[in-house]
Amino acid sequence: MTKIDVAIIGPGNIGSDLMYKVMRSSCLNMKLMTGIVESEGIKRAAKMGIETSTDGIDAVLDRDDIRIVFDATGAKAHLAHAPLLRKAGKIAIDMTPAAVGPYVVPCVNLDSLSQEMNFNMVTCGGQATVPIAYAVNQAADSSYTEIVSCISSKSAGPGTRANIDEFTETTAKALETVAGADRGKAVIILNPAEPPLMMTNTIYSIVKNPDPERINRAVQKIVEEVQKYVPGYKLRTPPILDGNKVTVIVEVEGAGDFLPKYSGNLDIINAAAVWVAQKLAVERLMKEKGPGVISAEAGEGRRG
Amino acid sequence: MKRKIKLVDVTLRDGSHAVGHSFTREQVARIAGALDRSGVEIIEVTHGDGLGGSSVNYGFSAVNDMELIEAAAGVIRKAKLGALLLPGIGTIRDLEEAYERGVRVLRVATHVTEADVAIQHIQAAKGKGMFAVGFLMMIHMAQPEKILEQARIFVDAGADYINLADSAGYLTPDGVRERVAVLTEHLSIPVGFHAHNNMGLAVANSIAAIEEGADYIDGSLRGLGAGAGNTQIEVLQAVIRRYGWESGADLDRLLEAAEKEVAPVMKRPQVIDADSLMLGYSGVYSSFLLHAKRASQQFGVAAKDILLELGKRKMVGGQEDMIVDVAYELSKGR
């Protein structure tokens, strides 16, 4: 079967977990892992038989085979990478908070972004909460949506910690622009409990049409949509209606590809990114090459 | 020379929990004015959960933080005006606005093991020339060595003092002593302490902290605060005098402020009821109290059981959303 060649820039935790996810895909080919220094991540990729480089983005730009590039570096680096990737005709999937391209939450707005060349994956909390916020807004019209994401301390990397405002500000913006709430607010909590807790996300919506039936149906349906690409996504507390306030709590257990299962926050953003790449590979790129009949759903490999 | 203790008043911040974040501009102006005349060092004015705390999760403020800060700034002459910020809830943008409205002391609070998320906020506050405080919450959940390690993160970021908060009102004086002592012994900057009275030990614990070298002590008029409240500042002032120390505050004026300004705005007596005792006993964040009482009504389960389960699950400050999760689960008998 034809596969689309992809590269990952940034062989850290996110990049390494992405690598495992790409390797399980039946329509993506994990072609190149590139960083700027020799690192554990580069060694790991090489050991898996994957081509590696320490030339950073330069290793990607003049390669005609590579069509999709995951950028798992940092916001500053991606601001520099984005125009170069665009010029080279590569589809960029941006794991950083740079937000050069539009926010994408696959089950909500991927289909409407068919011409984009640069996709921003929002935040882990955004991937976990925007689908619910969107579903509730569709069913009941939210004037205000607020989310609380709690992640285990161990799964919060130095990047998240040094820029925690970016999480709250970006997630809040996505609640408005992607989920459609009139106003959004986001809170993040780190919990150091041992053994580490699974990621939990609470989505509060203040709604104009509090119809419990419609809200329930919409939430159940969107949870199933997310589960297509994040098997560990679970409705923990179904919609609770209290006047015009709707409370929904979801839990995310990671797939345990490279990162431990409690890192559901990292898993969900990576799983969403790979899902975006697969959809694009199937719908946009394979159409050009014309191999026909596989779907992104079929492209999703089995998860352990 | 007499030992000099600096009093930090949190009536208009932690006390905000106790009145359901309902402070008005007028109440803030009156209380802040009375506090200023009584000679406290710092007057903290913010939603109970800090800047940006007004929310579904923590309760909406009747009046926006910035307006309340402005109301306080308009009456304070001698004291410094402070605000609290919890990274993950409030942002640097909030602190900048608070600065513009007159805040000059920024206390940045994290869970006791997570100080590094606050480096950017401490630095931003210092960049504005503010007095910046590293504030570690739920200190009963960490051993002294860990607390020292985390305090050093704040020191390196530029904090002017380190405040230790027994947010669950869990510690006994010995537990306070060992935690304060390790900091006063090893750090070059002052140490402060913030108590909750859930086990009836707030004043005793504050005294223990002072004896181990703490210079800044949090308190509130009438003890107004989350859970069973904070160290009652007028009582603390009397006890400080009894010990022969100085604080620069005037007991009569504190008593008058408590009586004339705070007593009339209280929504319930600040006592140790069964549920607030349970906070201290099981090590649960004090501001969970009123949310748990509400969830108890909504789901028909005892607040005490909700709080015990939250303690078992090791929930930390800010996880008010898990109160609904626990109450729902208990109601389903899952």
Side-chain angles (χ1 to χ4, degrees):
Chain A
M1 188 185 294
T2 314
K3 289 190 177 190
I4 297 294
D5 289 337
V6 310
I8 297 171
I9 315 177
N13 278 341
I14 289 278
S16 296
D17 188 67
L18 275 171
M19 174 179 80
Y20 283 91
K21 286 180 164 57
V22 170
M23 286 169 70
R24 276 200 281 99
S25 166
S26 59
C27 59
L28 302 175
N29 179 34
M30 182 59 226
K31 189 75 177 186
L32 172 70
M33 173 69 87
T34 173
I36 47 173
V37 287
E38 273 302 335
S39 63
E40 284 305 309
I42 290 286
K43 279 186 215 152
R44 192 178 301 114
K47 214 188 280 171
M48 312 281 290
I50 288 159
E51 202 181 318
T52 61
S53 165
T54 52
D55 293 335
I57 191 169
D58 293 339
V60 174
L61 293 176
D62 53 3
R63 289 279 295 260
D64 289 337
D65 53 343
I66 290 166
R67 306 292 303 275
I68 299 178
V69 178
F70 293 94
D71 191 342
T73 56
K76 224 183 234 167
H78 186 70
L79 288 175
H81 293 168
L84 300 174
L85 290 168
R86 182 177 294 269
K87 206 168 149 222
K90 316 280 183 219
I91 293 174
I93 300 185
D94 172 18
M95 311 302 297
T96 80
V100 174
Y103 295 144
V104 60
V105 176
C107 64
V108 175
N109 69 342
L110 177 55
D111 292 340
S112 66
L113 300 172
S114 56
Q115 298 310 311
E116 284 299 330
M117 287 297 283
N118 187 310
F119 296 85
N120 181 269
M121 298 311 301
V122 198
T123 59
C124 60
Q127 291 298 337
T129 61
V130 166
I132 303 289
Y134 169 79
V136 173
N137 181 52
Q138 289 287 305
D141 196 358
S142 305
S143 53
Y144 174 78
T145 301
E146 175 183 312
I147 68 99
V148 182
S149 287
C150 176
I151 64 178
S152 66
S153 296
K154 271 194 175 162
S155 68
T160 304
R161 289 172 175 274
N163 299 292
I164 202 157
D165 286 6
E166 257 166 15
F167 175 96
T168 53
E169 286 166 357
T170 304
T171 307
K173 217 186 290 170
L175 291 170
E176 295 168 4
T177 59
V178 184
D182 299 349
R183 205 157 59 79
K185 179 177 177 67
V187 168
I188 182 170
I189 307 280
L190 308 185
N191 184 311
E194 286 290 343
L197 302 171
M198 293 296 163
M199 180 199 204
T200 53
N201 302 276
T202 301
I203 302 97
Y204 300 109
S205 311
I206 304 296
V207 302
K208 296 168 197 164
N209 311 311
D211 174 347
E213 282 295 302
R214 288 192 62 178
I215 293 169
N216 260 316
R217 268 202 309 274
V219 168
Q220 294 288 351
K221 188 163 160 268
I222 203 86
V223 168
E224 285 164 24
E225 288 297 313
V226 179
Q227 282 169 344
K228 286 183 184 167
Y229 53 95
V230 190
Y233 191 78
K234 197 171 83 188
L235 187 58
R236 193 183 157 101
T237 306
I240 295 172
L241 203 60
D242 178 12
N244 63 348
K245 179 177 85 180
V246 182
T247 305
V248 180
I249 305 179
V250 293
E251 181 178 297
V252 188
E253 179 177 344
D257 285 318
F258 168 64
L259 301 163
K261 290 192 167 192
Y262 59 74
S263 299
N265 52 318
L266 305 176
D267 188 71
I268 191 169
I269 190 167
N270 282 353
V274 171
W275 184 255
V276 170
Q278 290 187 158
K279 283 268 210 188
L280 296 172
V282 170
E283 288 166 16
R284 217 187 281 185
L285 304 175
M286 288 197 179
K287 212 185 290 169
E288 297 167 16
K289 295 192 175 182
V293 286
I294 69 164
S295 72
E297 278 84 355
E300 177 68 353
R302 288 263 170 270
R303 285 173 188 274
Chain B
M1 205 177 74
K2 274 189 180 172
R3 183 81 195 278
K4 173 88 196 280
I5 311 302
K6 291 172 172 146
L7 296 182
V8 179
D9 184 275
V10 297
T11 310
L12 296 171
R13 202 277 302 164
D14 212 320
S16 155
H17 290 295
V19 297
H21 315 293
S22 65
F23 283 129
T24 62
R25 289 185 67 112
E26 197 205 352
Q27 288 168 350
V28 166
R30 292 182 67 104
I31 294 170
L35 281 166
D36 186 56
R37 290 189 293 280
S38 72
V40 300
E41 179 82 10
I42 297 169
I43 300 170
E44 191 166 71
V45 181
T46 337
H47 183 285
D49 294 273
L51 295 168
S54 178
S55 57
V56 174
N57 203 38
Y58 307 118
F60 283 105
S61 303
V63 180
N64 179 293
D65 269 345
M66 298 304 165
E67 284 183 45
L68 298 183
I69 284 169
E70 227 169 43
V75 297
I76 292 177
R77 303 280 169 267
K78 254 174 38 210
K80 294 180 190 137
L81 177 56
L84 183 74
L85 186 150
L86 276 63
I89 300 175
T91 63
I92 289 172
R93 220 171 281 176
D94 296 324
L95 93 78
E96 287 171 345
E97 195 178 345
Y99 175 83
E100 278 160 28
R101 308 285 179 120
V103 166
R104 291 295 175 268
V105 177
L106 186 79
R107 303 208 296 174
V108 187
T110 73
H111 184 68
V112 62
T113 54
E114 313 297 321
D116 58 356
V117 300
I119 295 170
Q120 54 189 321
H121 307 85
I122 294 280
Q123 289 172 342
K126 290 314 292 177
K128 294 245 165 230
M130 296 165 97
F131 187 74
V133 181
F135 190 122
L136 293 169
M137 302 188 288
M138 298 289 269
I139 56 164
H140 75 280
M141 292 177 90
Q143 291 306 305
E145 299 67 39
K146 182 73 184 175
I147 295 174
L148 178 61
E149 167 206 296
Q150 294 292 305
R152 282 185 164 139
I153 295 173
F154 276 127
V155 175
D156 292 344
D160 293 295
Y161 82 84
I162 303 296
N163 204 44
L164 296 184
D166 179 19
S167 315
Y170 177 95
L171 291 173
T172 57
D174 287 346
V176 174
R177 280 181 196 284
E178 56 177 2
R179 286 168 174 78
V180 171
V182 72
L183 298 198
T184 51
E185 190 182 327
H186 291 101
L187 298 184
S188 52
I189 63 173
V191 176
F193 179 69
H194 174 104
H196 279 273
N197 201 36
N198 303 334
M199 304 270 283
L201 290 168
V203 173
N205 282 349
S206 300
I207 296 303
I210 294 170
E211 286 183 329
E212 295 302 328
D215 291 324
Y216 289 84
I217 301 293
D218 286 10
S220 62
L221 294 164
R222 281 286 173 107
L224 200 70
N230 300 108
T231 302
Q232 195 171 340
I233 202 163
E234 58 275 28
V235 177
L236 179 66
Q237 171 61 17
V239 176
I240 281 174
R241 294 267 291 274
R242 174 71 48 84
Y243 272 80
W245 302 321
E246 278 296 336
S247 76
D250 182 282
L251 179 59
D252 288 339
R253 291 196 164 162
L254 284 172
L255 288 170
E256 193 182 309
E259 209 60 41
K260 283 200 178 145
E261 307 301 345
V262 174
V265 309
M266 289 175 71
K267 303 211 157 176
R268 57 188 187 105
Q270 191 73 69
V271 295
I272 308 174
D273 65 7
D275 296 333
S276 32
L277 173 56
M278 210 43 61
L279 296 168
Y281 193 64
S282 53
V284 173
Y285 197 61
S286 294
S287 53
F288 285 8
L289 178 68
L290 297 182
H291 299 274
K293 284 183 192 287
R294 251 194 313 279
S296 156
Q297 300 270 313
Q298 191 185 346
F299 293 91
V301 291
K304 176 175 76 87
D305 294 338
I306 298 173
L307 294 170
L308 282 174
E309 176 63 21
L310 289 162
K312 260 188 239 160
R313 289 197 194 175
K314 300 184 187 156
M315 293 295 112
V316 303
Q319 292 195 271
E320 271 78 345
D321 57 322
M322 286 296 119
I323 293 168
V324 168
D325 188 70
V326 165
Y328 173 77
E329 202 170 300
L330 291 175
S331 76
K332 294 282 171 229
R334 265 195 279 176

